[in-house]
Amino acid sequence: MIGQSVEKSLQAGRFNAILCSPQPYTNEIVRMSGDNFVLNSIPMVYENERLGTLVTFQAAQSITNAESRLRDHLRTSGHIARYHFSDILGESYSLRMAIRQAQRFARVDSNILLFGETGTGKELFAQSIHNESDRAAGPFVAVNCAAIPENLMESELFGYEAGAFTGANKGGKAGLFEAAHDGTIFLDEVSEIPMTLQSRLLRVIQEREVRRIGANKVIPINVRIICATNRDLPEMIRQNRFREDLYYRLKVLSVQLPPLRARNDDVALIMRHYLTYYINKFGKMPVTLTDEAIECIRQYNWPGNVREIRNISEQLAVLCEDDRITAEDIEAVLPMTHTVPKAVVAVPPSSDGSLSGLQKRQIAEVLARAGSRKEAA
């Protein structure tokens, strides 16, 4: 550019307007010799006399490089996905089908809604989808919507400008959607976002841009959105606690994660995995599960799913003083309200020797032991 006329290098009309304007220009994008530059200008005035205009140019590529370094810093600050589909434990048909479906969804950029009870591994699936997508090199920002106080959620998600409110950082703060730029944002327990913010979230999803609190400009974002919930969102819609239009924006693609009680064959495999992990962690001798112990854990309902089986495995690893874990050891650490029922004791045939007589007697014994007909069933 040295030695060339500025007016020839720039659009003469626009550049003259910038030079003559009494107002400063900030972050104007101009093109010169095939490259983009960021232009800033400020009028120079001394004792009410206009002396001229100071104009600066910065190569847009240098800003992009700086932004990339910032993204790298954010990734090293914890915005990273560590798990892959190969880390998901289980061989049951329902789980394999959920994984196969999620792998197909990872190839596209559409929003995904993960349904599943607590402890079924929704974040594990979200991280795996991210790592198998074209965004794997970008940040993975996980947000637990239930853990953020309602009065802070807007500023955490969308950020704020300097001086936007009392106590705000001097330089403002980027929100989590900005931190997820070129990557994935995972909104766990999305059902807990208050109605007052759901409309704003809907706009961010539609426009792919955010406006910080107190700002008069929008910031474009390029993010893939994955949400998860253990709540019945259609029922919440009927109760006017969740926006229907937001639901359909989030549920472009959906995956139903099976509970552990629907994949009994995986229970022993998962417990052996975590037992080995904790036994090694605590420096203890290897242990085995007896057949009775395996049957015991297969009968248990596991309301906490994989998270609960991991906690129980840790307890067993701490308490075990033998090389075997028995059914009694299992029952000792299960919650009292969910104690595994004893197997029905075999009874001799009724006096008339008929099958119906035997069935009636056995049902009567089960009803006598159980607290209710539901438990007996």
Short mmCIF file of all heavy atoms in Angstrom, two decimals, residues 254-314:
data_model
loop_
_atom_site.label_atom_id
_atom_site.label_comp_id
_atom_site.label_asym_id
_atom_site.label_seq_id
_atom_site.Cartn_x
_atom_site.Cartn_y
_atom_site.Cartn_z
N SER A 254 -33.78 -36.37 18.05
CA SER A 254 -33.89 -36.78 19.45
C SER A 254 -33.38 -38.20 19.63
O SER A 254 -33.47 -39.02 18.73
CB SER A 254 -35.34 -36.67 19.94
OG SER A 254 -36.17 -37.55 19.24
N VAL A 255 -32.84 -38.44 20.83
CA VAL A 255 -32.34 -39.77 21.19
C VAL A 255 -32.91 -40.11 22.56
O VAL A 255 -32.82 -39.32 23.50
CB VAL A 255 -30.80 -39.81 21.25
CG1 VAL A 255 -30.32 -41.23 21.61
CG2 VAL A 255 -30.19 -39.36 19.94
N GLN A 256 -33.50 -41.29 22.67
CA GLN A 256 -34.02 -41.78 23.94
C GLN A 256 -33.00 -42.73 24.56
O GLN A 256 -32.67 -43.76 23.98
CB GLN A 256 -35.35 -42.51 23.74
CG GLN A 256 -35.98 -43.04 25.02
CD GLN A 256 -36.55 -41.94 25.89
OE1 GLN A 256 -37.30 -41.09 25.41
NE2 GLN A 256 -36.19 -41.94 27.16
N LEU A 257 -32.47 -42.37 25.72
CA LEU A 257 -31.47 -43.20 26.38
C LEU A 257 -32.17 -44.20 27.30
O LEU A 257 -32.96 -43.80 28.16
CB LEU A 257 -30.50 -42.34 27.19
CG LEU A 257 -29.32 -41.73 26.43
CD1 LEU A 257 -29.80 -40.83 25.29
CD2 LEU A 257 -28.42 -40.93 27.37
N PRO A 258 -31.90 -45.50 27.13
CA PRO A 258 -32.62 -46.51 27.93
C PRO A 258 -32.15 -46.51 29.38
O PRO A 258 -30.97 -46.35 29.66
CB PRO A 258 -32.24 -47.82 27.23
CG PRO A 258 -30.91 -47.55 26.61
CD PRO A 258 -30.94 -46.10 26.19
N PRO A 259 -33.08 -46.70 30.33
CA PRO A 259 -32.69 -46.84 31.74
C PRO A 259 -32.01 -48.18 31.97
O PRO A 259 -32.15 -49.11 31.16
CB PRO A 259 -34.02 -46.74 32.48
CG PRO A 259 -35.02 -47.24 31.50
CD PRO A 259 -34.54 -46.81 30.15
N LEU A 260 -31.30 -48.29 33.08
CA LEU A 260 -30.55 -49.51 33.36
C LEU A 260 -31.46 -50.72 33.56
O LEU A 260 -31.09 -51.84 33.21
CB LEU A 260 -29.68 -49.30 34.60
CG LEU A 260 -28.49 -50.24 34.79
CD1 LEU A 260 -27.58 -50.23 33.57
CD2 LEU A 260 -27.70 -49.86 36.03
N ARG A 261 -32.66 -50.50 34.09
CA ARG A 261 -33.57 -51.63 34.32
C ARG A 261 -34.06 -52.24 33.00
O ARG A 261 -34.56 -53.36 32.98
CB ARG A 261 -34.76 -51.19 35.17
CG ARG A 261 -35.62 -50.14 34.53
CD ARG A 261 -36.77 -49.73 35.44
NE ARG A 261 -37.52 -48.61 34.87
CZ ARG A 261 -37.16 -47.34 35.03
NH1 ARG A 261 -36.07 -47.04 35.74
NH2 ARG A 261 -37.87 -46.37 34.50
N ALA A 262 -33.91 -51.48 31.89
CA ALA A 262 -34.31 -52.00 30.58
C ALA A 262 -33.15 -52.71 29.89
O ALA A 262 -33.31 -53.21 28.78
CB ALA A 262 -34.82 -50.86 29.70
N ARG A 263 -32.00 -52.75 30.55
CA ARG A 263 -30.83 -53.43 29.97
C ARG A 263 -30.12 -54.24 31.07
O ARG A 263 -28.96 -54.02 31.40
CB ARG A 263 -29.89 -52.41 29.33
CG ARG A 263 -29.83 -51.04 29.99
CD ARG A 263 -29.07 -50.02 29.19
NE ARG A 263 -27.65 -50.23 29.22
CZ ARG A 263 -26.76 -49.31 29.61
NH1 ARG A 263 -27.15 -48.12 30.01
NH2 ARG A 263 -25.48 -49.57 29.59
N ASN A 264 -30.88 -55.19 31.62
CA ASN A 264 -30.38 -56.01 32.73
C ASN A 264 -29.08 -56.72 32.41
O ASN A 264 -28.24 -56.93 33.30
CB ASN A 264 -31.43 -57.05 33.12
CG ASN A 264 -32.30 -56.57 34.26
OD1 ASN A 264 -32.00 -55.55 34.88
ND2 ASN A 264 -33.38 -57.27 34.53
N ASP A 265 -28.89 -57.10 31.15
CA ASP A 265 -27.68 -57.84 30.79
C ASP A 265 -26.42 -57.00 30.95
O ASP A 265 -25.31 -57.54 30.99
CB ASP A 265 -27.78 -58.32 29.34
CG ASP A 265 -28.87 -59.37 29.16
OD1 ASP A 265 -29.29 -59.95 30.18
OD2 ASP A 265 -29.32 -59.59 28.02
N ASP A 266 -26.57 -55.67 31.03
CA ASP A 266 -25.41 -54.79 31.15
C ASP A 266 -25.01 -54.52 32.60
O ASP A 266 -23.93 -53.98 32.86
CB ASP A 266 -25.68 -53.43 30.47
CG ASP A 266 -25.76 -53.55 28.96
OD1 ASP A 266 -25.20 -54.52 28.42
OD2 ASP A 266 -26.36 -52.67 28.32
N VAL A 267 -25.88 -54.88 33.55
CA VAL A 267 -25.65 -54.51 34.94
C VAL A 267 -24.34 -55.11 35.47
O VAL A 267 -23.50 -54.41 36.05
CB VAL A 267 -26.84 -54.93 35.83
CG1 VAL A 267 -26.51 -54.72 37.30
CG2 VAL A 267 -28.07 -54.13 35.45
N ALA A 268 -24.15 -56.42 35.29
CA ALA A 268 -22.95 -57.08 35.80
C ALA A 268 -21.70 -56.53 35.12
O ALA A 268 -20.66 -56.30 35.76
CB ALA A 268 -23.04 -58.59 35.61
N LEU A 269 -21.78 -56.29 33.81
CA LEU A 269 -20.63 -55.75 33.07
C LEU A 269 -20.22 -54.40 33.62
O LEU A 269 -19.03 -54.13 33.84
CB LEU A 269 -21.02 -55.65 31.59
CG LEU A 269 -19.97 -55.14 30.59
CD1 LEU A 269 -20.25 -55.73 29.20
CD2 LEU A 269 -19.97 -53.61 30.48
N ILE A 270 -21.20 -53.52 33.87
CA ILE A 270 -20.91 -52.17 34.37
C ILE A 270 -20.34 -52.22 35.78
O ILE A 270 -19.38 -51.54 36.11
CB ILE A 270 -22.17 -51.30 34.31
CG1 ILE A 270 -22.60 -51.10 32.86
CG2 ILE A 270 -21.94 -49.94 34.97
CD1 ILE A 270 -23.96 -50.43 32.70
N MET A 271 -20.93 -53.08 36.64
CA MET A 271 -20.44 -53.16 38.02
C MET A 271 -19.02 -53.72 38.05
O MET A 271 -18.17 -53.23 38.82
CB MET A 271 -21.38 -54.00 38.89
CG MET A 271 -20.88 -54.13 40.32
SD MET A 271 -22.12 -54.73 41.49
CE MET A 271 -23.00 -53.20 41.84
N ARG A 272 -18.73 -54.73 37.25
CA ARG A 272 -17.36 -55.26 37.20
C ARG A 272 -16.37 -54.18 36.78
O ARG A 272 -15.27 -54.08 37.31
CB ARG A 272 -17.29 -56.45 36.24
CG ARG A 272 -17.92 -57.73 36.77
CD ARG A 272 -17.53 -58.91 35.92
NE ARG A 272 -18.17 -60.14 36.35
CZ ARG A 272 -19.23 -60.68 35.76
NH1 ARG A 272 -19.76 -60.10 34.68
NH2 ARG A 272 -19.76 -61.81 36.22
N HIS A 273 -16.77 -53.36 35.80
CA HIS A 273 -15.89 -52.29 35.32
C HIS A 273 -15.56 -51.32 36.45
O HIS A 273 -14.38 -51.00 36.68
CB HIS A 273 -16.57 -51.54 34.16
CG HIS A 273 -15.85 -50.28 33.76
ND1 HIS A 273 -14.77 -50.27 32.90
CD2 HIS A 273 -16.06 -48.97 34.13
CE1 HIS A 273 -14.34 -49.02 32.75
NE2 HIS A 273 -15.10 -48.22 33.48
N TYR A 274 -16.58 -50.84 37.16
CA TYR A 274 -16.33 -49.85 38.21
C TYR A 274 -15.67 -50.48 39.44
O TYR A 274 -14.86 -49.82 40.11
CB TYR A 274 -17.64 -49.15 38.59
CG TYR A 274 -18.07 -48.14 37.56
CD1 TYR A 274 -19.30 -48.23 36.93
CD2 TYR A 274 -17.23 -47.08 37.21
CE1 TYR A 274 -19.69 -47.31 35.97
CE2 TYR A 274 -17.61 -46.15 36.25
CZ TYR A 274 -18.83 -46.27 35.64
OH TYR A 274 -19.21 -45.34 34.69
N LEU A 275 -15.99 -51.74 39.73
CA LEU A 275 -15.29 -52.41 40.83
C LEU A 275 -13.79 -52.48 40.55
O LEU A 275 -12.96 -52.18 41.42
CB LEU A 275 -15.86 -53.82 41.03
CG LEU A 275 -17.10 -53.96 41.91
CD1 LEU A 275 -17.62 -55.39 41.87
CD2 LEU A 275 -16.79 -53.53 43.34
N THR A 276 -13.44 -52.87 39.32
CA THR A 276 -12.02 -52.94 38.95
C THR A 276 -11.37 -51.57 39.07
O THR A 276 -10.24 -51.44 39.58
CB THR A 276 -11.88 -53.46 37.51
OG1 THR A 276 -12.48 -54.75 37.42
CG2 THR A 276 -10.42 -53.54 37.10
N TYR A 277 -12.10 -50.52 38.62
CA TYR A 277 -11.56 -49.16 38.68
C TYR A 277 -11.26 -48.75 40.13
O TYR A 277 -10.16 -48.26 40.44
CB TYR A 277 -12.55 -48.18 38.04
CG TYR A 277 -12.19 -46.73 38.23
CD1 TYR A 277 -11.23 -46.12 37.43
CD2 TYR A 277 -12.82 -45.97 39.22
CE1 TYR A 277 -10.90 -44.79 37.62
CE2 TYR A 277 -12.49 -44.65 39.42
CZ TYR A 277 -11.53 -44.06 38.62
OH TYR A 277 -11.20 -42.73 38.82
N TYR A 278 -12.23 -48.96 41.03
CA TYR A 278 -12.05 -48.51 42.41
C TYR A 278 -11.11 -49.42 43.20
O TYR A 278 -10.38 -48.94 44.08
CB TYR A 278 -13.41 -48.39 43.11
CG TYR A 278 -14.20 -47.19 42.64
CD1 TYR A 278 -15.38 -47.34 41.92
CD2 TYR A 278 -13.74 -45.90 42.89
CE1 TYR A 278 -16.09 -46.23 41.49
CE2 TYR A 278 -14.44 -44.79 42.46
CZ TYR A 278 -15.61 -44.96 41.75
OH TYR A 278 -16.31 -43.85 41.31
N ILE A 279 -11.12 -50.72 42.90
CA ILE A 279 -10.17 -51.62 43.57
C ILE A 279 -8.74 -51.19 43.24
O ILE A 279 -7.87 -51.13 44.12
CB ILE A 279 -10.42 -53.08 43.12
CG1 ILE A 279 -11.71 -53.62 43.76
CG2 ILE A 279 -9.23 -53.96 43.46
CD1 ILE A 279 -11.65 -53.80 45.25
N ASN A 280 -8.47 -50.87 41.98
CA ASN A 280 -7.14 -50.40 41.59
C ASN A 280 -6.84 -49.04 42.22
O ASN A 280 -5.71 -48.78 42.65
CB ASN A 280 -7.05 -50.31 40.06
CG ASN A 280 -7.08 -51.66 39.40
OD1 ASN A 280 -6.73 -52.68 40.01
ND2 ASN A 280 -7.50 -51.71 38.14
N LYS A 281 -7.84 -48.16 42.26
CA LYS A 281 -7.64 -46.82 42.82
C LYS A 281 -7.28 -46.90 44.30
O LYS A 281 -6.43 -46.14 44.78
CB LYS A 281 -8.92 -46.00 42.63
CG LYS A 281 -8.83 -44.58 43.18
CD LYS A 281 -10.12 -43.81 42.95
CE LYS A 281 -10.03 -42.41 43.53
NZ LYS A 281 -11.29 -41.63 43.31
N PHE A 282 -7.93 -47.81 45.04
CA PHE A 282 -7.69 -47.92 46.47
C PHE A 282 -6.57 -48.91 46.82
O PHE A 282 -6.28 -49.13 47.99
CB PHE A 282 -8.99 -48.34 47.19
CG PHE A 282 -10.13 -47.39 46.99
CD1 PHE A 282 -11.43 -47.85 46.87
CD2 PHE A 282 -9.91 -46.02 46.90
CE1 PHE A 282 -12.49 -46.97 46.67
CE2 PHE A 282 -10.95 -45.13 46.71
CZ PHE A 282 -12.25 -45.60 46.58
N GLY A 283 -5.95 -49.51 45.80
CA GLY A 283 -4.82 -50.40 46.04
C GLY A 283 -5.21 -51.70 46.72
O GLY A 283 -4.43 -52.23 47.53
N LYS A 284 -6.37 -52.25 46.40
CA LYS A 284 -6.82 -53.49 47.02
C LYS A 284 -6.63 -54.67 46.07
O LYS A 284 -6.34 -54.50 44.89
CB LYS A 284 -8.30 -53.37 47.42
CG LYS A 284 -8.54 -52.38 48.56
CD LYS A 284 -9.94 -52.58 49.12
CE LYS A 284 -10.11 -51.84 50.43
NZ LYS A 284 -11.40 -52.17 51.07
N MET A 285 -6.84 -55.87 46.62
CA MET A 285 -6.73 -57.09 45.83
C MET A 285 -7.96 -57.25 44.94
O MET A 285 -9.05 -56.80 45.30
CB MET A 285 -6.60 -58.31 46.76
CG MET A 285 -5.32 -58.29 47.60
SD MET A 285 -3.84 -58.41 46.57
CE MET A 285 -3.99 -60.09 45.99
N PRO A 286 -7.80 -57.88 43.78
CA PRO A 286 -8.95 -58.09 42.88
C PRO A 286 -10.06 -58.87 43.56
O PRO A 286 -9.81 -59.72 44.42
CB PRO A 286 -8.33 -58.89 41.72
CG PRO A 286 -6.88 -58.58 41.76
CD PRO A 286 -6.53 -58.39 43.20
N VAL A 287 -11.30 -58.60 43.16
CA VAL A 287 -12.46 -59.28 43.72
C VAL A 287 -13.33 -59.82 42.58
O VAL A 287 -13.23 -59.36 41.44
CB VAL A 287 -13.31 -58.34 44.61
CG1 VAL A 287 -12.53 -57.87 45.81
CG2 VAL A 287 -13.84 -57.15 43.80
N THR A 288 -14.15 -60.81 42.93
CA THR A 288 -15.10 -61.36 41.95
C THR A 288 -16.50 -61.27 42.53
O THR A 288 -16.68 -61.24 43.76
CB THR A 288 -14.77 -62.82 41.62
OG1 THR A 288 -14.79 -63.60 42.83
CG2 THR A 288 -13.42 -62.93 40.95
N LEU A 289 -17.49 -61.24 41.64
CA LEU A 289 -18.90 -61.26 42.05
C LEU A 289 -19.39 -62.70 42.00
O LEU A 289 -19.21 -63.39 41.00
CB LEU A 289 -19.74 -60.39 41.11
CG LEU A 289 -19.56 -58.88 41.18
CD1 LEU A 289 -20.19 -58.22 39.96
CD2 LEU A 289 -20.18 -58.33 42.46
N THR A 290 -20.02 -63.15 43.07
CA THR A 290 -20.61 -64.50 43.07
C THR A 290 -21.85 -64.49 42.18
O THR A 290 -22.41 -63.43 41.87
CB THR A 290 -20.99 -64.94 44.48
OG1 THR A 290 -22.04 -64.09 44.97
CG2 THR A 290 -19.79 -64.87 45.42
N ASP A 291 -22.28 -65.68 41.77
CA ASP A 291 -23.49 -65.79 40.96
C ASP A 291 -24.70 -65.21 41.68
O ASP A 291 -25.56 -64.56 41.07
CB ASP A 291 -23.76 -67.25 40.59
CG ASP A 291 -22.70 -67.81 39.65
OD1 ASP A 291 -21.99 -66.99 39.02
OD2 ASP A 291 -22.57 -69.04 39.56
N GLU A 292 -24.76 -65.44 43.02
CA GLU A 292 -25.87 -64.90 43.80
C GLU A 292 -25.83 -63.38 43.83
O GLU A 292 -26.88 -62.71 43.78
CB GLU A 292 -25.83 -65.44 45.24
CG GLU A 292 -26.10 -66.93 45.38
CD GLU A 292 -24.88 -67.78 44.99
OE1 GLU A 292 -23.80 -67.19 44.82
OE2 GLU A 292 -25.04 -69.02 44.87
N ALA A 293 -24.62 -62.80 43.88
CA ALA A 293 -24.48 -61.34 43.87
C ALA A 293 -24.94 -60.76 42.54
O ALA A 293 -25.62 -59.73 42.50
CB ALA A 293 -23.02 -60.95 44.14
N ILE A 294 -24.59 -61.44 41.46
CA ILE A 294 -25.01 -60.98 40.12
C ILE A 294 -26.53 -61.03 40.01
O ILE A 294 -27.16 -60.09 39.51
CB ILE A 294 -24.35 -61.83 39.02
CG1 ILE A 294 -22.84 -61.55 38.99
CG2 ILE A 294 -24.97 -61.54 37.66
CD1 ILE A 294 -22.06 -62.43 38.04
N GLU A 295 -27.14 -62.10 40.50
CA GLU A 295 -28.60 -62.21 40.46
C GLU A 295 -29.25 -61.12 41.31
O GLU A 295 -30.29 -60.56 40.96
CB GLU A 295 -29.03 -63.60 40.95
CG GLU A 295 -30.53 -63.87 40.82
CD GLU A 295 -31.03 -63.75 39.39
OE1 GLU A 295 -30.25 -64.03 38.44
OE2 GLU A 295 -32.19 -63.35 39.21
N CYS A 296 -28.58 -60.80 42.41
CA CYS A 296 -29.10 -59.77 43.31
C CYS A 296 -29.12 -58.40 42.63
O CYS A 296 -30.12 -57.68 42.69
CB CYS A 296 -28.22 -59.73 44.56
SG CYS A 296 -28.82 -58.65 45.87
N ILE A 297 -28.04 -58.05 41.95
CA ILE A 297 -28.00 -56.73 41.31
C ILE A 297 -28.89 -56.69 40.06
O ILE A 297 -29.36 -55.62 39.65
CB ILE A 297 -26.55 -56.32 40.93
CG1 ILE A 297 -25.92 -57.30 39.95
CG2 ILE A 297 -25.70 -56.18 42.19
CD1 ILE A 297 -24.54 -56.89 39.47
N ARG A 298 -29.15 -57.86 39.48
CA ARG A 298 -30.04 -57.91 38.32
C ARG A 298 -31.50 -57.69 38.75
O ARG A 298 -32.31 -57.17 37.99
CB ARG A 298 -29.91 -59.24 37.58
CG ARG A 298 -28.66 -59.32 36.71
CD ARG A 298 -28.48 -60.74 36.18
NE ARG A 298 -29.63 -61.17 35.40
CZ ARG A 298 -29.76 -60.96 34.09
NH1 ARG A 298 -28.81 -60.32 33.42
NH2 ARG A 298 -30.83 -61.39 33.43
N GLN A 299 -31.84 -58.10 39.97
CA GLN A 299 -33.19 -57.93 40.47
C GLN A 299 -33.47 -56.50 40.94
O GLN A 299 -34.62 -56.07 40.97
CB GLN A 299 -33.46 -58.90 41.63
CG GLN A 299 -33.56 -60.35 41.22
CD GLN A 299 -33.89 -61.24 42.42
OE1 GLN A 299 -34.49 -60.79 43.39
NE2 GLN A 299 -33.49 -62.49 42.34
N TYR A 300 -32.41 -55.77 41.29
CA TYR A 300 -32.59 -54.41 41.81
C TYR A 300 -33.01 -53.47 40.68
O TYR A 300 -32.60 -53.63 39.53
CB TYR A 300 -31.28 -53.95 42.46
CG TYR A 300 -31.32 -52.57 43.06
CD1 TYR A 300 -32.24 -52.26 44.05
CD2 TYR A 300 -30.43 -51.59 42.65
CE1 TYR A 300 -32.27 -51.00 44.62
CE2 TYR A 300 -30.45 -50.33 43.21
CZ TYR A 300 -31.38 -50.03 44.19
OH TYR A 300 -31.41 -48.78 44.75
N ASN A 301 -33.80 -52.45 40.99
CA ASN A 301 -34.40 -51.57 39.99
C ASN A 301 -33.46 -50.48 39.47
O ASN A 301 -33.67 -49.94 38.39
CB ASN A 301 -35.65 -50.91 40.59
CG ASN A 301 -36.59 -50.42 39.53
OD1 ASN A 301 -36.76 -51.07 38.50
ND2 ASN A 301 -37.19 -49.27 39.76
N TRP A 302 -32.42 -50.12 40.22
CA TRP A 302 -31.44 -49.09 39.86
C TRP A 302 -32.11 -47.77 39.43
O TRP A 302 -31.96 -47.33 38.29
CB TRP A 302 -30.49 -49.57 38.76
CG TRP A 302 -29.65 -50.74 39.19
CD1 TRP A 302 -29.78 -52.03 38.77
CD2 TRP A 302 -28.61 -50.74 40.17
NE1 TRP A 302 -28.87 -52.83 39.41
CE2 TRP A 302 -28.14 -52.07 40.27
CE3 TRP A 302 -28.03 -49.76 40.95
CZ2 TRP A 302 -27.11 -52.43 41.14
CZ3 TRP A 302 -27.00 -50.11 41.81
CH2 TRP A 302 -26.55 -51.43 41.90
N PRO A 303 -32.83 -47.12 40.34
CA PRO A 303 -33.47 -45.84 39.99
C PRO A 303 -32.47 -44.75 39.63
O PRO A 303 -32.79 -43.82 38.90
CB PRO A 303 -34.27 -45.48 41.25
CG PRO A 303 -33.61 -46.24 42.36
CD PRO A 303 -33.12 -47.51 41.74
N GLY A 304 -31.24 -44.86 40.15
CA GLY A 304 -30.20 -43.87 39.81
C GLY A 304 -29.38 -44.26 38.60
O GLY A 304 -28.43 -43.56 38.25
N ASN A 305 -29.72 -45.41 37.99
CA ASN A 305 -29.06 -45.88 36.77
C ASN A 305 -27.55 -46.01 36.94
O ASN A 305 -27.08 -46.43 37.97
CB ASN A 305 -29.46 -44.98 35.60
CG ASN A 305 -30.94 -45.13 35.27
OD1 ASN A 305 -31.37 -46.18 34.83
ND2 ASN A 305 -31.71 -44.08 35.53
N VAL A 306 -26.77 -45.66 35.90
CA VAL A 306 -25.33 -45.91 35.92
C VAL A 306 -24.65 -45.12 37.03
O VAL A 306 -23.69 -45.58 37.65
CB VAL A 306 -24.71 -45.59 34.55
CG1 VAL A 306 -23.20 -45.80 34.59
CG2 VAL A 306 -25.33 -46.45 33.46
N ARG A 307 -25.16 -43.91 37.32
CA ARG A 307 -24.56 -43.12 38.39
C ARG A 307 -24.68 -43.84 39.72
O ARG A 307 -23.75 -43.85 40.54
CB ARG A 307 -25.23 -41.75 38.47
CG ARG A 307 -24.57 -40.82 39.50
CD ARG A 307 -25.25 -39.45 39.54
NE ARG A 307 -25.03 -38.73 38.30
CZ ARG A 307 -25.99 -38.35 37.48
NH1 ARG A 307 -27.25 -38.67 37.75
NH2 ARG A 307 -25.73 -37.68 36.39
N GLU A 308 -25.83 -44.49 39.95
CA GLU A 308 -26.03 -45.21 41.20
C GLU A 308 -25.15 -46.46 41.26
O GLU A 308 -24.55 -46.75 42.30
CB GLU A 308 -27.49 -45.60 41.38
CG GLU A 308 -27.76 -46.28 42.71
CD GLU A 308 -29.22 -46.66 42.91
OE1 GLU A 308 -29.96 -46.68 41.91
OE2 GLU A 308 -29.60 -46.96 44.05
N ILE A 309 -25.05 -47.18 40.16
CA ILE A 309 -24.25 -48.41 40.17
C ILE A 309 -22.77 -48.06 40.39
O ILE A 309 -22.02 -48.82 41.01
CB ILE A 309 -24.45 -49.23 38.88
CG1 ILE A 309 -24.13 -50.70 39.14
CG2 ILE A 309 -23.62 -48.72 37.73
CD1 ILE A 309 -24.52 -51.61 37.98
N ARG A 310 -22.35 -46.90 39.91
CA ARG A 310 -20.97 -46.47 40.15
C ARG A 310 -20.75 -46.17 41.64
O ARG A 310 -19.73 -46.57 42.21
CB ARG A 310 -20.66 -45.23 39.32
CG ARG A 310 -19.25 -44.70 39.54
CD ARG A 310 -18.88 -43.63 38.55
NE ARG A 310 -17.49 -43.22 38.72
CZ ARG A 310 -16.80 -42.56 37.81
NH1 ARG A 310 -17.35 -42.21 36.66
NH2 ARG A 310 -15.54 -42.23 38.04
N ASN A 311 -21.71 -45.48 42.25
CA ASN A 311 -21.58 -45.18 43.69
C ASN A 311 -21.59 -46.46 44.53
O ASN A 311 -20.81 -46.59 45.48
CB ASN A 311 -22.72 -44.26 44.12
CG ASN A 311 -22.64 -42.89 43.47
OD1 ASN A 311 -21.58 -42.50 42.98
ND2 ASN A 311 -23.73 -42.16 43.48
N ILE A 312 -22.47 -47.40 44.18
CA ILE A 312 -22.54 -48.67 44.93
C ILE A 312 -21.23 -49.44 44.76
O ILE A 312 -20.71 -50.05 45.71
CB ILE A 312 -23.73 -49.51 44.44
CG1 ILE A 312 -25.06 -48.83 44.81
CG2 ILE A 312 -23.67 -50.92 45.02
CD1 ILE A 312 -25.32 -48.70 46.28
N SER A 313 -20.67 -49.42 43.55
CA SER A 313 -19.40 -50.11 43.31
C SER A 313 -18.28 -49.51 44.16
O SER A 313 -17.42 -50.24 44.67
CB SER A 313 -19.03 -50.02 41.82
OG SER A 313 -20.02 -50.63 41.02
N GLU A 314 -18.28 -48.20 44.31
CA GLU A 314 -17.25 -47.56 45.14
C GLU A 314 -17.40 -47.99 46.59
O GLU A 314 -16.41 -48.28 47.28
CB GLU A 314 -17.34 -46.04 45.00
CG GLU A 314 -16.24 -45.32 45.78
CD GLU A 314 -16.24 -43.82 45.51
OE1 GLU A 314 -17.11 -43.33 44.74
OE2 GLU A 314 -15.37 -43.12 46.06
#
